[in-house]
Amino acid sequence: MLFLVTLLFMCSSFVSSRPDALDKFMEFVTKFNKPYKNGTEEFRRRYEIFKKNLHQIEVLNKPYVEEGSAGVYGITSFSDMAQEEFKAQYLSGLRLPPHSTGKTTLLYQSEAIQGHQLRTDLPKLVDWRKSDAVSAIKDQGRCGACWAFSAAETIESAYAIKHNTSAPSLAVQELIDCSKKNYGCKGGDICLALNWVKGHGITYEKYYPLLDKDEDCKPIPPMADVVQISDFSCPSYVGKEDGILNILANHGPVAAAVDATTWNNYVGGIIRFHCENSINHAVEIVGYDLTGSVPYYIVRNSWGTGFGMDGYLYIKIGDNLCGIAQEVSSVTIV
């Protein structure tokens, strides 16, 4: 409750008191250690972009503030970036070509739901972080390999659940370098990555360290351990999101393609408005919460712990918000 009240105060301040934008920008420069020097052309340019982002934050928060709830958008480390610049650097990592879907066997088939009604036989709260089945938050930097991060993270979680152990840290860099039907830091597809892993396996990060840049594919050491998957699935759950909940509850975390266009302004809370379905990013869904008035997915991002809530965000269940139900990927460990 205290967190929500704090968010409401932070976000409503843009609508009410409106402290001087220059003061806010100076605070921003200091907080995020930006290199801009007052009086330079770069400082002025970034300040103008910052002011536009402040206005956008007001617009995005308006429906939350009007209903008296906490807004979810505010000043972030991306607040000095123009929208097109943000898209080019952080939302160019997902491509959705026609692809194989493993054996096309849905791990948990569910019936279409009526409207937004959710099945009543599911647990009210699932959070695989509490079972140590989710590895530490990673940071893809400016490498557009979100597809590789989400695929590897979902395999990590499946392995932890299968073997009742802590989630390992698998070699995202191996996917970036070696999954040749994808394009490394220039983008790729979750399911093509999983198809590659099904044929080759994936080793641990300690044997193939993360560099967040394109490299040639390297052979792994002869004694390196490899995780294998036997099956994967990449269906759409639009209109039947109880199917996603079913997998999360009964099988484990999933990878999902999403529209993250507005996430450069996200600071916390449940996204319920202003999130479309122009797919441009990939994440891992690690659980859900049906206990409150607004049910939501617990979503793990790959932009470091400084993003959102220590690297996580919440998205409302039932409306395909951010396109989260359009392509959902689950895996089975050998």
Side-chain angles (χ1 to χ4, degrees):
M1 177 60 71
L2 178 60
F3 173 73
L4 291 177
V5 171
T6 303
L7 272 179
L8 180 57
F9 174 78
M10 289 167 52
C11 299
S12 62
S13 67
F14 293 115
V15 177
S16 55
S17 58
R18 289 300 301 271
D20 182 77
L22 181 58
D23 289 342
K24 280 187 169 293
F25 184 64
M26 295 299 292
E27 293 172 4
F28 163 82
V29 169
T30 300
K31 178 178 180 179
F32 295 104
N33 196 28
K34 299 292 181 175
Y36 318 134
K37 300 297 183 183
N38 198 349
T40 64
E41 179 58 33
E42 181 70 357
F43 182 95
R44 287 190 289 270
R45 187 172 74 87
R46 292 297 175 181
Y47 175 49
E48 290 303 315
I49 293 172
F50 181 83
K51 287 193 294 183
K52 291 179 180 179
N53 281 326
L54 287 184
H55 174 70
Q56 181 66 8
I57 290 166
E58 288 185 0
V59 172
L60 292 172
N61 278 327
K62 186 176 180 181
Y64 299 95
V65 174
E66 286 180 344
E67 70 178 16
S69 62
V72 301
Y73 302 100
I75 296 171
T76 72
S77 61
F78 305 120
S79 294
D80 58 341
M81 298 179 70
Q83 191 65 29
E84 290 307 314
E85 183 182 8
F86 172 73
K87 287 181 181 179
Q89 291 188 15
Y90 292 95
L91 302 182
S92 60
L94 197 69
R95 306 187 183 195
L96 298 177
H99 51 65
S100 167
T101 56
K103 295 178 182 177
T104 67
T105 54
L106 303 190
L107 297 172
Y108 286 89
Q109 180 73 54
S110 67
E111 299 176 357
I113 57 178
Q114 298 296 319
H116 298 155
Q117 295 299 310
L118 300 173
R119 292 176 56 157
T120 58
D121 57 343
L122 292 167
K124 293 296 184 182
L125 176 63
V126 171
D127 187 347
W128 287 104
R129 295 174 296 181
K130 297 179 179 179
S131 302
D132 210 15
V134 179
S135 64
I137 290 289
K138 299 179 176 68
D139 190 346
Q140 69 183 70
R142 297 190 177 187
C143 172
C146 56
W147 57 273
F149 283 85
S150 60
E153 290 161 0
T154 302
I155 297 169
E156 291 170 353
S157 296
Y159 182 91
I161 295 167
K162 171 79 172 181
H163 296 288
N164 193 28
T165 187
S166 299
S169 185
L170 298 180
V172 175
Q173 190 68 42
E174 185 181 18
L175 287 178
I176 294 172
D177 295 347
C178 303
S179 178
K180 293 304 184 183
K181 289 187 178 180
N182 289 303
Y183 302 91
C185 289
K186 298 179 182 65
D189 175 60
I190 303 166
C191 298
L192 288 177
L194 294 177
N195 196 45
W196 185 88
V197 174
K198 186 179 177 183
H200 299 82
I202 182 171
T203 192
Y204 290 74
E205 185 176 2
K206 64 182 179 180
Y207 300 120
Y208 207 125
L210 180 63
L211 299 175
D212 279 334
K213 63 179 181 178
D214 291 315
E215 296 275 310
D216 293 331
C217 183
K218 305 173 185 65
I220 62 174
M223 300 301 291
D225 296 318
V226 174
V227 174
Q228 301 278 358
I229 64 174
S230 60
D231 195 12
F232 68 94
S233 180
C234 300
S236 168
Y237 286 98
V238 176
K240 47 179 187 271
E241 290 183 45
D242 64 326
I244 302 175
L245 305 186
N246 227 333
I247 297 175
L248 290 169
N250 297 308
H251 189 75
V254 297
V258 294
D259 179 353
T261 302
T262 61
W263 292 9
N264 52 321
N265 296 306
Y266 178 84
V267 293
I270 305 170
I271 293 178
R272 288 177 287 151
F273 311 101
H274 302 306
C275 208
E276 305 301 329
N277 55 10
S278 298
I279 301 303
N280 51 30
H281 190 49
V283 295
E284 182 187 25
I285 308 175
V286 302
Y288 63 80
D289 191 332
L290 309 179
T291 62
S293 59
V294 180
Y296 61 85
Y297 297 109
I298 303 168
V299 179
R300 167 186 178 162
N301 203 0
S302 54
W303 295 345
T305 56
F307 168 80
M309 297 173 290
D310 297 322
Y312 289 86
L313 68 156
Y314 299 155
I315 298 176
K316 181 185 175 184
I317 294 168
D319 294 331
N320 189 32
L321 276 174
C322 305
I324 199 166
Q326 288 187 204
E327 181 179 281
V328 178
S329 305
S330 50
V331 300
T332 301
I333 297 294
V334 170

